[in-house]
Amino acid sequence: MKVFCKLGSCVLRNQIRLFETKCGSRLTKLATKEIPQPKDPISLASPPTAEQFIRYSPEFISRGYAKSDLFLYPEFISHNEHDLLVSNCNKKLKRLASSYEMGHFDKRIHNYRECSVSAWLPNHRGISGQVARAMGRQVDPDPVDLPDRAPKGRSSGWTTVGKYDGQIRHILERVWSLFPASFAWLPPHILDLHQDGEILPHVDNPEYSGFVVGGLSLLGQAVSTFKHVDDPSVRVDVLLPPRSLYFMTNQIRYQFTHEITVDPRQRAWMNQPVARARRISLMFRDAKEPENGWRSLVSSKPTSMSSE
């Protein structure tokens, strides 16, 4: 007999919705002493193949900023995995965000469309999983290897699971497994940037997400530029090729702006222009833990259910 935590309270659902929808941006930074640190350390190291895709300014090096605050893993996924993700991102976008928007609510992104995909996040990797663990409950297994739907429309019993969601969860599990199990992840977020779109300099708001921000790069390559809020000469330029995975954390996460511009002076690499192209970034953010812990998200005693 196993007992699982049923976390269906309005309080918890509303809190998760807040995390998912309020990830705005700003141009101010946290002081170094204010930068939060995770309970369990993050141990990310870019492979040697990443060196050709990253340029650090002399000021970044001379002032002792940590290269490890920016993680890049070229060719993190295979060509077949890339194509599977692109195909399914396009399907989600067609259904949930059919047209490109000229302006974001915080005015930092132009000519884009976006949506979140909760079906690609297993329960044990999300907020509800951390709440269950904080309450001493077993987490609903919600296995990563969910079966795909049967062919020709016949249901395999997983009526809320898309045809390829199980395969996609397998791919994304490799991303989440790079981090401590104590992280609670927000649902993956699809950001589709038109070939004429741009992302203006901003710092992802630390009030609404946690220690890391990253993404899988799909379709066109782009140059992303990170600049210190107080001194733009302290910068890092990164070429993001398709199939690469990147993450920013610590000072680069909290004290540097990041941008993808249409300015041709910044859309160049090794003195060669980087052509404008449509680009999809499958974004990953961890949720910010409440001051009183994950258990505080549930205001009343949860209902438990039994399963053989």
Side-chain angles (χ1 to χ4, degrees):
M1 183 77 70
K2 296 181 179 179
V3 179
F4 301 111
C5 185
K6 185 177 181 181
L7 300 169
S9 70
C10 291
V11 173
L12 180 57
R13 288 200 302 271
N14 289 340
Q15 188 66 46
I16 293 175
R17 190 175 298 114
L18 174 68
F19 279 126
E20 293 176 2
T21 60
K22 295 293 186 178
C23 293
S25 65
R26 61 185 196 176
L27 291 176
T28 57
K29 66 177 179 64
L30 293 181
T32 300
K33 64 181 180 180
E34 297 174 332
I35 294 177
Q37 296 298 321
K39 295 176 181 177
D40 301 308
I42 300 171
S43 299
L44 293 180
S46 301
T49 53
E51 293 181 5
Q52 61 183 306
F53 299 104
I54 306 176
R55 292 191 308 230
Y56 304 96
S57 72
E59 292 81 1
F60 183 95
I61 300 298
S62 64
R63 297 181 192 179
Y65 288 96
K67 292 182 179 180
S68 59
D69 287 354
L70 182 65
F71 170 81
L72 178 67
Y73 197 127
E75 299 182 350
F76 185 80
I77 57 175
S78 69
H79 288 285
N80 287 339
E81 290 171 333
H82 171 274
D83 294 345
L84 176 68
L85 287 171
V86 169
S87 174
N88 282 270
C89 284
N90 282 334
K91 291 176 182 177
K92 300 293 185 183
L93 289 165
K94 182 178 180 179
R95 184 167 63 90
L96 300 173
S98 58
S99 60
Y100 287 92
E101 301 287 341
M102 293 308 299
H104 195 255
F105 71 89
D106 60 9
K107 302 180 181 179
R108 308 318 298 173
I109 310 178
H110 299 151
N111 218 341
Y112 75 101
R113 53 182 180 163
E114 62 182 352
C115 66
S116 292
V117 189
S118 58
W120 293 351
L121 180 70
N123 285 343
H124 75 280
R125 290 293 187 185
I127 294 173
S128 59
Q130 292 300 333
V131 173
R133 278 185 279 271
M135 299 178 69
R137 305 280 186 169
Q138 282 187 283
V139 182
D140 187 331
D142 188 20
V144 174
D145 55 342
L146 290 174
D148 291 335
R149 279 182 176 162
K152 298 181 180 179
R154 294 194 301 271
S155 172
S156 60
W158 296 86
T159 57
T160 61
V161 178
K163 183 177 181 181
Y164 298 105
D165 287 352
Q167 294 181 45
I168 292 173
R169 286 190 179 191
H170 272 294
I171 298 171
L172 304 190
E173 180 64 23
R174 301 208 308 269
V175 177
W176 295 313
S177 65
L178 295 171
F179 295 88
S182 56
F183 274 37
W185 294 93
L186 300 174
H189 189 83
I190 302 171
L191 177 60
D192 179 359
L193 196 63
H194 189 275
Q195 67 175 21
D196 295 323
E198 65 178 337
I199 301 174
L200 300 179
H202 69 282
V203 178
D204 282 27
N205 197 324
E207 296 300 320
Y208 298 115
S209 62
F211 306 107
V212 298
V213 178
L216 270 171
S217 299
L218 309 174
L219 296 177
Q221 64 180 351
V223 177
S224 184
T225 300
F226 302 81
K227 298 178 182 177
H228 195 280
V229 171
D230 294 334
D231 185 355
S233 70
V234 180
R235 64 185 282 173
V236 185
D237 294 286
V238 184
L239 181 64
L240 298 173
R243 302 191 292 126
S244 64
L245 174 72
Y246 74 92
F247 270 98
M248 51 181 157
T249 186
N250 204 31
Q251 286 181 293
I252 290 184
R253 155 74 175 97
Y254 291 103
Q255 296 183 334
F256 284 62
T257 63
H258 56 278
E259 62 186 292
I260 295 178
T261 179
V262 296
D263 186 343
R265 293 171 296 179
Q266 288 185 219
R267 293 190 62 88
W269 198 260
M270 302 296 290
N271 297 318
Q272 296 296 320
V274 175
R276 294 187 187 184
R278 179 189 172 211
R279 177 178 183 271
I280 292 177
S281 184
L282 186 56
M283 303 293 298
F284 303 92
R285 295 183 178 90
D286 65 307
K288 183 178 180 181
E289 184 173 355
E291 290 185 3
N292 296 324
W294 293 116
R295 184 166 182 160
S296 66
L297 296 184
V298 180
S299 59
S300 59
K301 185 177 180 180
T303 303
S304 62
M305 60 181 178
S306 298
S307 175
E308 295 293 339

